[in-house]
Amino acid sequence: QKEVEQDPGPLSVPEGAIVSLNCTYSNSAFQYFMWYRQYSRKGPELLMYTYSSGNKEDGRFTAQVDKSSKYISLFIRDSQPSDSATYLCAMSATLSGGSYIPTFGRGTSLIVHP
Amino acid sequence: SAVISQKPSRDICQRGTSLTIQCQVDSQVTMMFWYRQQPGQSLTLIATANQGSEATYESGFVIDKFPISRPNLTFSTLTVSNMSPEDSSIYLCSVAVPQGWVGYTFGSGTRLTVV
């Protein structure tokens, strides 16, 4: 079993839909949970991060962490064609050697069609 | 956050040859990270490059295959040596700025195809 599981998709939705992206994990030591967005031929960019359990909202994006279920989600409201990208979840435990080394999911390819 | 320039952006190489990828950061950082992203796979950390010391390699990656240089606090290179088609992948460098920040900044990546 991989430490982080993420369905690669693709997930295709119409413009304006609510999108739900999810990851599950097995390592209970993970404390920091991130979502990255990666456009084609670009590097990943940090979209949101959450510490421990709970929700965090930023504009149309909401990140949710349920540590009891080892399950994290990213919701995108009013999705736009410009949201079409690959979304990678990432998680890390405590600081080690001066850095948090994240473990990444495989990424979910999202396509928002007009 | 930081700005990372990575080059080349892509290359097609013959098997048995080597390719050196360069990564330039616009601020001084203690640690730089090199990742591999294979199709359909998760980002995998190859090694951590520290200025002034040997790079630290993750399990499954060795210095002879992926030698790394880190001559100063803003620059690093990763060489993919004696390439085979299995090395075809996207290679990315990354930093965490400020140091200790949980979020990483990535370069645009080098798309390598070995034929």
Side-chain angles (χ1 to χ4, degrees):
Chain A
Q1 180 191 10
K2 293 192 174 191
E3 270 196 301
V4 179
E5 299 277 3
Q6 185 176 12
D7 187 334
L11 177 62
S12 181
V13 302
E15 182 176 355
I18 296 174
V19 175
S20 172
L21 304 166
N22 311 294
C23 289
T24 59
Y25 63 96
S26 58
N27 188 347
S28 57
F30 288 142
Q31 296 273 28
Y32 299 90
F33 304 89
M34 287 75 71
W35 285 96
Y36 286 81
R37 178 175 60 195
Q38 185 174 21
Y39 291 114
S40 179
R41 304 190 186 285
K42 297 290 186 184
E45 58 175 330
L46 181 67
L47 198 56
M48 297 184 71
Y49 96 95
T50 309
Y51 173 72
S52 193
S53 282
N55 293 358
K56 187 172 185 178
E57 189 173 319
D58 184 2
R60 296 184 295 110
F61 299 87
T62 299
Q64 207 169 71
V65 174
D66 182 349
K67 291 190 71 179
S68 63
S69 301
K70 295 190 177 67
Y71 188 89
I72 71 169
S73 301
L74 178 70
F75 298 96
I76 307 174
R77 292 184 299 280
D78 187 25
S79 56
Q80 302 295 310
S82 58
D83 295 326
S84 299
T86 297
Y87 290 80
L88 299 94
C89 63
M91 313 173 185
S92 58
T94 54
L95 194 66
S96 173
S99 67
Y100 298 91
I101 305 294
T103 301
F104 286 87
R106 296 200 303 174
T108 299
S109 175
L110 172 66
I111 302 166
V112 182
H113 51 87
Chain B
S1 64
V3 176
I4 299 176
S5 299
Q6 187 175 338
K7 56 183 181 182
S9 59
R10 61 191 309 154
D11 208 340
I12 300 173
C13 300
Q14 296 290 324
R15 69 173 66 204
T17 63
S18 298
L19 175 72
T20 295
I21 302 166
Q22 299 180 5
C23 183
Q24 179 77 50
V25 188
D26 69 344
S27 56
Q28 294 184 339
V29 293
T30 304
M31 287 182 280
M32 296 178 73
F33 306 93
W34 287 99
Y35 281 87
R36 182 173 71 184
Q37 187 175 31
Q38 295 179 305
Q41 302 299 314
S42 58
L43 276 167
T44 302
L45 182 63
I46 297 171
T48 302
N50 300 298
Q51 197 273 332
S53 64
E54 293 265 342
T56 303
Y57 289 83
E58 298 299 306
S59 175
F61 298 97
V62 296
I63 187 171
D64 290 346
K65 177 67 176 177
F66 297 101
I68 287 171
S69 78
R70 185 76 204 277
N72 57 52
L73 290 173
T74 64
F75 187 79
S76 178
T77 67
L78 171 77
T79 298
V80 186
S81 302
N82 188 24
M83 289 184 285
S84 66
E86 292 70 37
D87 295 318
S88 297
S89 186
I90 299 172
Y91 293 86
L92 298 128
C93 68
S94 176
V95 299
V97 175
Q99 183 175 332
W101 173 232
V102 297
Y104 283 30
T105 300
F106 287 84
S108 292
T110 296
R111 186 177 296 266
L112 171 63
T113 302
V114 184
V115 296

